[in-house]
Amino acid sequence: MNNQDFKLRQNKILNFANELENESEAFAMLISKGMGKPIRESRGEVLNSISMCRSFASFIDDHQAQTAIAVGKNNVEIERIPLGNVIGIMPFNYPLWQVIRFAIPAYLAGNHVTIRPDPCFFDALPLLRDCFQKTDLSGAFTCIEDEPNQLKNDILMQKYDGLAFTGSVETGRKVAALCGEALIPYTLELGGSDAYIVCEDIDIDRNAKTIVRKRMENAGQSCISSKRILVHESILDKWVEATKGYLTQYIPADPTDDKTYLGPLVHENATRKLKDQVERGLKEGAELLYGSVDAIEGRNFPPMMLKVKGDCPTLRQEELFGPVITVIPFSKDGEAIAIANETDFGLGGAVFTNDLKRADNIADAMNTGMVAINQALYSHPEVPFGGIKNSGVSFECGREAINLFTHPKAIWKRT
């Protein structure tokens, strides 16, 4: 793809971003009704998706620029070639953002893009297709609602030349096996159990506010949520009290109401799974610091905070996908690092301390794809996003994302 073609694609994405902006309130309401996200957060997701489009549309065309190297008497030109028809199988928790994060760079790389969102976003597909139609992109993007068995058959029949999947580890393994059988490249963005290490020299109130806000975002249904909070034992009691004060602000309510800060979980199966994890944690010796299992009703899951005592494998190692804060005391930095790294996940994490050298040392020792210092971890269009271990394969976002669904082609020229 030459520079002129790339610029044409960028201009179409800019026009598409404008259409998303025109329909932003409609998309936000569809997200809230579909999966239960508070409307204030859904509006933020739409705005972030628009920003993602415009960010990629501003990137210069250096990802596919020919490079040349001298090999003996040969001049070898290396080009980037799009794979062809690539599919993204996307999750429920950020139904528009995840679609955009996969689809836009894949399209800019020269591919045809097939989008299979989570069923909670199916009602938004007519509007999404309309936005593609209005910006002359309907031939470049295909939105489908295929059932899992149909998707499996199409992958095995090599209908797709590349695949991106975001979801659970269990399903990710199955998708990887299918892609291996079909011999097509793939990316996986799976779970996380991010550790936030809170040292003793921080502003306790400010830190509690940051962590609660991050954990309650999207009712805790985020792969990079603040899930395991490792708090220095010398400030533990004060930190817990400050955190309780902020948790009182989060009461499950109607997600379409502007005054709601905490919506329901996506479906009752999610509620049952999370409740089971909490109950297992309590049986393993955890202490309930805030909330009540008896207050869970339907999809509504009020905030909870549990303190880990001893091994407690459920709370220390599993991913809890909901508004539950797990607190783990530590006394030394080495102990905190060991706890942070003990899970099979390796997506993200954070460290909070006024000693930046100490922060750098802890961050370097955390076995993850991303770490934040003195702030919550977020996804940004221009920053590579992804994890290691059971958290996935490959990284999205950043300039590198445009190359995910291309392959290099070497052209040898004898001089």
Side-chain angles (χ1 to χ4, degrees):
M1 182 170 58
N2 60 40
N3 187 64
Q4 185 176 359
D5 290 337
F6 186 78
K7 291 299 181 185
L8 178 61
R9 286 176 178 252
Q10 285 181 310
N11 288 333
K12 287 186 176 182
I13 293 305
L14 283 175
N15 293 334
F16 173 70
N18 293 337
E19 282 301 318
L20 285 182
E21 193 168 46
N22 292 337
E23 301 291 351
S24 59
E25 186 63 19
F27 274 112
M29 188 58 69
L30 286 164
I31 291 170
S32 292
K33 289 182 177 179
M35 56 81 58
K37 182 176 299 183
I39 187 67
R40 60 176 62 241
E41 292 184 14
S42 295
R43 291 187 183 115
E45 178 177 343
V46 177
L47 290 176
N48 288 338
S49 300
I50 295 167
S51 175
M52 166 74 84
C53 292
R54 290 172 176 160
S55 290
F56 276 113
S58 68
F59 286 178
I60 60 173
D61 185 22
D62 61 359
H63 72 289
Q64 289 180 326
Q66 269 192 358
T67 58
I69 58 175
V71 181
K73 295 183 178 180
N74 296 285
N75 185 49
V76 183
E77 296 177 352
I78 303 171
E79 302 176 354
R80 302 296 309 190
I81 307 299
L83 295 181
N85 181 23
V86 298
I87 182 172
I89 303 173
M90 299 289 102
F92 74 85
N93 54 341
Y94 293 92
L96 181 61
W97 166 259
Q98 294 282 158
V99 163
I100 296 300
R101 192 168 78 178
F102 150 73
I104 300 307
Y107 165 73
L108 288 172
N111 295 286
H112 177 273
V113 180
T114 299
I115 299 166
R116 199 286 190 177
D118 186 86
C120 76
F121 198 59
F122 282 176
D123 286 347
L125 289 185
L127 184 58
L128 185 60
R129 292 187 184 105
D130 188 53
C131 290
F132 287 139
Q133 179 69 38
K134 289 179 178 177
T135 51
D136 194 27
L137 286 169
S138 56
F141 293 90
T142 301
C143 301
I144 63 174
E145 303 175 29
D146 292 1
E147 294 295 325
N149 284 339
Q150 182 63 51
L151 289 170
K152 176 181 178 180
N153 291 335
D154 287 344
I155 293 168
L156 291 175
M157 293 297 292
Q158 296 183 316
K159 179 178 179 179
Y160 303 111
D161 304 299
L163 181 148
F165 172 79
T166 299
S168 70
V169 175
E170 179 183 6
T171 304
R173 292 184 189 278
K174 295 176 182 178
V175 170
L178 290 173
C179 291
E181 188 170 346
L183 291 178
I184 63 171
Y186 61 89
T187 68
L188 303 175
E189 199 271 279
L190 308 176
S193 187
D194 291 10
Y196 275 42
I197 298 176
V198 181
C199 298
E200 71 278 5
D201 60 346
I202 51 87
D203 182 320
I204 293 175
D205 187 75
R206 181 179 178 183
N207 178 263
K209 181 178 181 180
T210 297
I211 287 178
V212 168
R213 182 176 181 180
K214 183 62 177 177
R215 188 57 174 137
M216 295 302 113
E217 180 183 300
N218 205 17
Q221 299 168 115
S222 169
C223 56
I224 55 170
S225 183
S226 47
K227 298 187 176 100
R228 295 178 299 143
I229 316 304
L230 283 55
V231 183
H232 195 278
E233 60 185 14
S234 66
I235 62 168
L236 179 63
D237 292 341
K238 291 181 179 180
W239 187 91
V240 167
E241 289 307 308
T243 300
K244 287 180 180 179
Y246 285 109
L247 286 175
T248 60
Q249 302 172 18
Y250 292 87
I251 302 171
D254 178 3
T256 64
D257 189 329
D258 283 328
K259 298 178 182 179
T260 296
Y261 284 86
L262 182 66
L265 298 189
V266 63
H267 47 61
E268 292 195 17
N269 284 340
T271 304
R272 284 191 287 270
K273 179 180 179 179
L274 185 59
K275 181 181 179 182
D276 174 69
Q277 289 175 304
V278 169
E279 290 176 336
R280 282 191 283 121
L282 293 172
K283 290 179 181 178
E284 291 165 0
E287 178 185 353
L288 184 62
L289 300 178
Y290 184 90
S292 169
V293 174
D294 294 336
I296 301 169
E297 184 177 358
R299 293 167 55 198
N300 291 325
F301 201 110
M304 291 188 189
M305 179 164 54
L306 297 98
K307 176 183 174 182
V308 169
K309 295 182 177 181
D311 291 337
C312 200
T314 298
L315 301 183
R316 288 178 64 137
Q317 297 178 22
E318 294 185 16
E319 177 180 31
L320 274 65
F321 219 56
V324 178
I325 293 176
T326 297
V327 182
I328 307 175
F330 74 92
S331 60
K332 297 181 180 180
D333 291 358
E335 178 188 7
I337 292 166
I339 295 171
N341 292 337
E342 72 182 5
T343 75
D344 292 330
F345 297 104
L347 187 57
V351 54
F352 296 83
T353 175
N354 291 326
D355 184 339
L356 294 183
K357 183 177 180 180
R358 181 185 184 187
D360 285 338
N361 290 337
I362 293 174
D364 288 344
M366 294 177 74
N367 197 14
T368 62
M370 305 171 287
V371 182
I373 293 177
N374 292 331
Q375 64 177 8
L377 185 63
Y378 290 94
S379 177
H380 188 278
E382 297 185 37
V383 180
F385 181 96
I388 57 177
K389 300 193 288 187
N390 282 0
S391 288
V393 177
S394 193
F395 283 68
E396 297 177 308
C397 294
R399 293 174 183 267
E400 297 87 350
I402 299 181
N403 280 342
L404 276 176
F405 293 104
T406 67
H407 68 80
K409 182 177 182 179
I411 302 175
W412 290 67
K413 294 183 178 181
R414 189 76 169 179
T415 57

